Structures are given as C-alpha cells and as structure tokens.
Amino acid sequence: MSSKARKAGLALLAATLAFAGTVYGVTRPASADVVAQLNGPQLVADMGAGWNLGNALEANNNGIPSETAWGNPVVTQALIDRVRASGFKTIRIPVSYLGNIGAGPNYTVNAAWLNRIQEVVDYAHKRGLYVLINMHGDGYKSVTGSWLICDAADQTTVKDKYQKVWQQVATRFQSYNDHLIFESMNENFDGQYGNPTQPCYSNINAYNQIFVDTVRRTGGTNASRWLLVPGWNTNIDHTVGSGFVLPTDQNRSSSIPANEQRIMISVHYYDPWDFAGQEDGTITQWGAGATNPAKKSTWGQEDFLDGQLKKVYDKFVTRGYPVFVGEYGSIDKTTYDSTNNRYRADYARAVVATAKKYGAATAYWDNGWNGQHGFGLFDRSAVTVTQPGIINAIMSAVGGSQPTTPPPTTPPASTPPASPPTTPPTTSPGGTGACRVTSTVNAWNTGLTTSIAITNTGTTTINGWNLAFTLAAGQSIVSGWSASFAPATGRVTATNAGYNGTLAPGASASIGFQANHTGNAAAPTGFALNGTACS
C-alpha cells in the first residue's frame, strides 16, 4: 500500500480486493560480508519474522520523496536496532523515486536520495538483517508524480525509465551480500479493484522481466541475489491465476545450481478487509477465539487463510520459488473495542504460522502510526515497543531467533577506520582474562529483551569464550542473537558465535536474548567469562 491508514486523516488505499480475499555513495566490497548462498526453503527459514519500515522512504511531498512527509521521524540506527532486538530478522524498506528521477534519456536518480536509501539499508544490513528494497509509490495513480503506470499510453518511455532507474539502484548495491533482496515494484495494477485487464497485466509481466534482466546484467552479487516479483496488485488469486508470467532468469550466475531458483513471488494479505483495514468499528474481532459473533466477519477466517496460502504453495513453492507475504496486518480498533488487540495478535500469529506451514516468509506492515487505525508496532520517535502482544504472537508463530550473520567488518565510508594498535596484542588461545559486562533490559507484559555487552579488560586476547549468568526466577529464553544460549532457564551459558569469538584487549562483543517472564523482569546476575567473574 502507498500509505495504509496514515495519521491526520490521510486517505487509506486498499492493497487487495476487499471482497477477494542506505554509507554515502560507496558500496562495501563483497569480501567484507560474504554469506553462504541458500536455496528457497533455507532462505525462508533464515529470513524469520519480517517488518515493514512503512511510510518513510516511500513518503512524498507533492511528488518529491521525503521520509518525514507523512508524519514519521527521520529513520535512525536506534530504531532499526530496536526492531532487531524485538526479534525481527528481515526489514522491508519501501522506496519511492518519483520526482528524484531526472529527465530522459538518462533518467538519473538524485545522488543525495540514493545516498540516503543506502544509509538506511546499511542500518539494517550491517546488523546482519535481511533487507528488501523496492520501487513502491511510483506505480500508484493516486500518488503525485507516479509514472510506472501499466495502462499508460507510452509504454516505451515507461519501460526505458524503469530499466534505467533499476540499473542505477542495482549498480549502487552490486557488492552487497545476499541478505539484500530487490523487489521489482509494489502493488502495480490499473487502479480498479476488479479482474485484471489486458494489456495492463502484460505490461506488469514485462516490467518484471526488465527488472530481472537489468539487475542480473549489473554483475557482482546481483548475478546471484534473490529477486522478488509480484503479480497483479500482489493479489493471491490474480497471481496464481493465468495472467501472471514468471520472468525468465537467463542471465543469472553460473554458480547457482541448475535445479535452484533465485526468483521469489510477492503477495500481500489483508483479508478480511473489514477487520484488517476498514476504518470503522463494525468488525473488531477475528478468528476462532472471537467472543462476539456480531463483531466478527462472515468470511476470511482461519480456513480461508489456509486455502489462500496453499494456493501459492501449490503454484510456486512446489516448483522452487519461495513466496514472500510482503505485507499483512490489521489496524488498531481499540477505540471501538477494548479487546481488539487480542484479535490483532491472533490474526498476526495465524498469518505467520500459516505462511511458515506453506513455505513462505512474511513482513508485518507498520506505517509508524500508533493509535486509532494505525498499524504501528513501535513508537519511532521514542524508539519503544507499543504492541508487545502482536510482536510476541509473531515470534511465537515463526519460532524466531535473532540474526546469526555477523555485521560487516568494513567501517562506514563516512567514519574513518580506527588506527591500528602500535603494539600487536598478545594472544592467549582459550584464555580467560579480566572482563566487564553490562546489560540492558527492555520488558513488557510477559516478555523482555536483554542486551549484553562483554568487554575484555585484560592484557591478552581471548580466543573462544563462554559467558555464564543466572536468569531471574520465572524467566525463560526463547531466542537469542550473536551467541548460543543453554539451558533456557536458571544458570545459562552463552557461547560465542563463529565470528565474535576473538576478543582482543579492550574489545567488546554484543549479544542478547528474548525471554518470557512471569512478572520478574530483572537483569541477569553472576556473570563469569570462561570461568572468571566479571565486574
């Protein structure tokens, strides 16, 4: 969607049929953050729970992209870190280009805008998250300055512009590892909520083919990276139907096994719309747990959800094409029904669990707006969680864990690298060393996240470490990042990941976990690094 229940009364645009159910200017060298290539099922499992940075980089003011135009603050590293700490492993970043594209024949994208896109991408990518960027609002007739219009008269110009913009974007990111995924466009269709029309659908298929060919030909990691393509309006029925044509992938890297794909299919899910997106208090409950039949839609319940996602499984997943439910969610109707958030959590849990059942990854739509009719899970200004119940539901459904891929070792181009030590540190394989540990707890009703910083305050390098600590009574770890944790309760030992096991004198490692609690959200105690008590 272009906005999804923006604050201050901005119009809501339906994404599916209600009835049908960025370091500045410099790319990082590939050698700095290489990850193993994954097949489709491995990719979906590794992507875990996803979240949309909605109404930010796709926002615009009179056709000029502006990330604060729709009421959200400037995106910060702190926000992305909060999202990550909450358990999300994938962030979809909708992007519009619009008036930041220059005139033909070159259609040069404004350099400052590309730099900002890259900076925001880096906020997430350098933390080991999966990141998806697309061309979002350029295909909406309702958006000032839109041009990627499938029933526009001059398709030669549209396609030429589209190709040149994607060539610039793909070139900018060609050295980023496979944790960056490109999405060709968003909810492209003719703007009429009905059956697909021709030649409009044929043009959408052509855009997808141009996208795949253009990205692949820029080389680097782009020759093998996963690419995401939608059908008509990301509508499930119109994507599994006869109108959608999978793009060919003839220019991909020869390193990809012949029996594997590198194309993903994008769909969105907001059914039933009267619960998920309709801005009134008529339908506020969903699912088998609903207590008031009058507040529950007559369609679009668990059985319908299962049937819809089975369709994409049968059509695509069985052929090796993973599916990405790039948007789902439901708006806040607690002003009409104080129990609404319970059903919003039930809905999110069901979508994620059913998608996982059928080999699909998901990303919750968050437009940054909290309160009536908002989709927000976080307060982006305060950098806090606002909907812990929904987040907990998502994490319980996906069986989520934090990213295990290390941040790249190359520092941002805008930050000079630290001076090397004048005297090489001594190395003590398996040594203990003195240590300092700090921890920060962020708690909500029945859950919490704990971030832990471990610093080697000794004079010798530690090669391989484990950190023991005691959880407060009633706490149980459900997932962790940058270390393995065992057991889940009581006296726990965190063991280093493969990339952070070496701690030179003065060096630190950051780890953390998400846990359930029964009322005691106290920080862990009794830290000991390799058997030595820490201060």
Side-chain angles (χ1 to χ4, degrees):
M1 267 190 189
S2 65
S3 64
K4 299 205 186 58
R6 298 199 301 269
K7 62 194 260 189
L10 293 177
L12 175 72
L13 297 177
T16 57
L17 294 174
F19 55 85
T22 327
V23 175
Y24 285 100
V26 180
T27 56
R28 294 188 299 266
S31 60
D33 66 329
V34 175
V35 297
Q37 290 186 351
L38 304 179
N39 62 30
Q42 292 170 333
L43 174 70
V44 167
D46 204 43
M47 289 176 72
W51 175 83
N52 273 273
L53 181 64
N55 285 21
L57 297 193
E58 88 275 25
N60 77 91
N61 184 10
N62 293 322
I64 304 300
S66 170
E67 65 185 283
T68 61
W70 291 350
N72 279 313
V74 170
V75 180
T76 63
Q77 181 71 67
L79 171 64
I80 301 306
D81 288 347
R82 173 63 64 199
V83 173
R84 183 185 187 275
S86 297
F88 292 97
K89 293 181 65 177
T90 294
I91 294 184
R92 180 176 181 256
I93 304 175
V95 178
S96 293
Y97 297 88
L98 301 169
N100 278 337
I101 304 172
N106 294 327
Y107 301 108
T108 302
V109 179
N110 179 281
W113 186 236
L114 267 182
N115 290 342
R116 179 55 179 161
I117 294 167
Q118 185 172 10
E119 184 177 39
V120 175
V121 167
D122 284 347
Y123 290 159
H125 192 265
K126 72 183 181 182
R127 294 293 197 245
L129 297 169
Y130 282 92
V131 184
L132 294 95
I133 57 173
N134 67 3
M135 187 177 287
H136 200 86
D138 298 69
Y140 278 107
K141 289 184 176 181
S142 58
V143 171
T144 301
S146 60
W147 56 273
L148 188 65
I149 307 301
C150 65
D151 56 355
D154 186 0
Q155 286 296 310
T156 298
T157 297
V158 170
K159 292 171 182 176
D160 183 40
K161 186 174 182 178
Y162 181 70
Q163 188 275 330
K164 288 193 168 72
V165 173
W166 264 118
Q167 184 172 19
Q168 295 169 72
V169 175
T171 300
R172 174 63 70 101
F173 292 102
Q174 68 185 157
S175 297
Y176 281 55
N177 71 29
D178 287 343
H179 276 204
L180 179 63
I181 297 171
F182 297 147
E183 180 181 24
S184 62
M185 51 192 152
N186 187 47
E187 297 160 350
N188 204 302
F189 70 123
D190 63 3
Q192 305 301 313
Y193 291 95
N195 291 323
T197 57
Q198 291 292 345
C200 197
Y201 210 156
S202 293
N203 289 329
I204 291 173
N205 291 328
Y207 302 159
N208 280 331
Q209 188 64 64
I210 291 169
F211 162 74
V212 172
D213 289 343
T214 299
V215 172
R216 293 291 188 237
R217 287 168 179 161
T218 59
T221 311
N222 290 339
S224 60
R225 98 168 56 256
W226 283 93
L227 303 178
L228 180 63
V229 297
W232 181 272
N233 196 25
T234 61
N235 177 278
I236 289 176
D237 290 317
H238 299 325
T239 303
V240 300
S242 59
F244 177 68
V245 177
L246 272 165
T248 60
D249 199 6
Q250 300 177 15
N251 299 295
R252 71 183 196 175
S253 170
S254 59
S255 67
I256 302 172
N259 63 339
E260 292 183 13
Q261 311 299 339
R262 284 294 184 275
I263 302 291
M264 305 176 68
I265 310 302
S266 174
V267 297
H268 294 174
Y269 192 86
Y270 292 103
D271 292 327
W273 184 251
D274 52 7
F275 170 77
Q278 190 169 300
E279 295 183 349
D280 60 38
T282 304
I283 301 298
T284 60
Q285 300 185 10
W286 182 90
T291 59
N292 186 347
K295 291 292 186 180
K296 177 180 173 179
S297 182
T298 59
W299 72 287
Q301 305 303 306
E302 290 95 340
D303 56 344
F304 180 85
L305 168 63
D306 191 274
Q308 290 297 95
L309 291 182
K310 187 178 186 301
K311 289 178 183 178
V312 293
Y313 172 82
D314 291 341
K315 181 73 173 184
F316 301 113
V317 178
T318 58
R319 298 160 61 193
Y321 296 95
V323 169
F324 184 60
V325 184
E327 296 181 16
Y328 73 95
S330 57
I331 61 174
D332 188 334
K333 300 185 181 185
T334 53
T335 55
Y336 312 110
D337 180 349
S338 62
T339 68
N340 173 244
N341 279 340
R342 167 190 168 184
Y343 304 106
R344 297 176 68 203
D346 288 347
Y347 181 81
R349 183 186 296 107
V351 173
V352 175
T354 307
K356 181 178 180 181
K357 172 183 175 181
Y358 288 116
T362 56
Y364 181 92
W365 177 259
D366 185 329
N367 63 354
W369 174 237
N370 292 280
Q372 188 176 35
H373 304 154
F375 283 90
L377 301 182
F378 301 88
D379 182 322
R380 297 187 186 178
S381 296
V383 193
T384 56
V385 173
T386 60
Q387 293 292 342
I390 297 176
I391 294 176
N392 283 345
I394 292 169
M395 298 308 156
S396 68
V398 80
S401 62
Q402 292 288 344
T404 56
T405 301
T409 56
T410 301
S414 56
T415 303
S419 300
T422 56
T423 303
T426 57
T427 300
S428 176
T432 55
C435 53
R436 181 177 65 251
V437 173
T438 59
S439 63
T440 303
V441 178
N442 177 48
W444 54 93
N445 294 343
T446 60
L448 59 84
T449 59
T450 298
S451 300
I452 300 172
I454 310 162
T455 302
N456 178 6
T457 59
T459 58
T460 58
T461 295
I462 299 172
N463 284 330
W465 53 262
N466 60 72
L467 181 72
F469 55 88
T470 302
L471 286 180
Q475 293 185 15
S476 177
I477 294 176
V478 295
S479 64
W481 61 93
S482 299
S484 59
F485 296 83
T489 61
R491 188 67 176 171
V492 178
T493 297
T495 303
N496 65 268
Y499 59 86
N500 63 0
T502 299
L503 292 178
S508 298
S510 296
I511 66 173
F513 60 84
Q514 182 177 347
N516 295 325
H517 69 85
T518 57
N520 186 352
T525 57
F527 292 102
L529 185 68
N530 288 0
T532 299
C534 298
S535 59

